[in-house]
């Protein structure tokens, strides 16, 4: 089993339930972990035989551009794109953290996590 991961990919986006959140925007951190069984031996040294974390990053970029009310929806959209592109993955974990969410007190971040496990 091989794992690729992106940790702390930072985006400025317009996700939020309240209209002002969708106007003002907010900073988000995205963590993505993908487990898969390599299609060839590592000695093959070919990018086309692995999960390309650069492509995974661009999938996250594209989904973060689409304003949504719930970050759960964004996380699921990222996960779904990874599954479609790499059907041989065994598991995917996508966590999105909303930095300084608009709450009454100081909160570093709120977060959601979606998971996929092939069974």
């Amino acid at each position: 089993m091989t794992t690729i991961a992106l940790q702390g990919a930072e985006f400025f986006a317009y996700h939020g339930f309240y209209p002002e959140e969708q106007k003002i925007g907010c900073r988000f951190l995205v963590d993505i972990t993908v487990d898969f069984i390599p299609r060839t031996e590592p000695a093959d040294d070919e990018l086309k035989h692995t999960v390309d974390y650069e492509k995974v990053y661009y999938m996250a970029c594209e989904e973060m551009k689409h304003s949504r009310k719930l970050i759960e929806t964004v996380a699921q959209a990222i996960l779904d794109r990874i599954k479609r592109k790499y059907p041989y993955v065994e598991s995917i974990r996508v966590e999105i953290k909303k930095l300084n969410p608009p709450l009454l007190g100081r909160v570093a971040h709120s977060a959601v996590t979606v998971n996929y496990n092939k069974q």
Side-chain angles (χ1 to χ4, degrees):
M1 185 84 63
T2 299
T3 300
I4 65 105
L6 297 173
Q7 299 293 314
E10 190 168 337
F11 300 94
F12 189 87
Y14 298 89
H15 307 301
F17 182 77
Y18 299 105
E20 52 276 9
E21 290 179 286
Q22 293 187 4
K23 288 179 187 171
I24 296 170
C26 181
R27 287 179 38 237
F28 295 85
L29 295 178
V30 178
D31 298 333
I32 303 170
T33 304
V34 181
D35 296 314
F36 64 100
I37 298 171
R39 295 170 26 176
T40 62
E41 293 299 316
D44 182 313
D45 205 27
E46 290 291 330
L47 191 57
K48 65 184 176 185
H49 296 142
T50 189
V51 174
D52 182 347
Y53 59 79
E54 183 178 17
K55 284 186 172 48
V56 170
Y57 174 78
Y58 286 118
M59 290 179 208
C61 286
E62 288 301 310
E63 293 304 328
M64 291 300 288
K65 290 178 186 176
H66 300 291
S67 180
R68 295 183 174 103
K69 290 181 182 177
L70 302 176
I71 56 177
E72 292 92 324
T73 308
V74 183
Q76 187 65 51
I78 294 168
L79 187 148
D80 290 343
R81 284 183 73 154
I82 296 167
K83 272 186 3 185
R84 279 193 304 276
K85 174 74 176 164
Y86 302 104
Y88 53 88
V89 300
E90 295 295 315
S91 68
I92 304 167
R93 181 178 186 274
V94 177
E95 181 177 38
I96 299 179
K97 298 172 185 161
K98 184 176 202 169
L99 302 180
N100 302 308
L103 300 171
L104 293 178
R106 177 154 165 67
V107 175
H109 68 268
S110 57
V112 300
T113 304
V114 295
N115 293 288
Y116 162 78
N117 290 297
K118 185 186 260 184
Q119 304 256 332

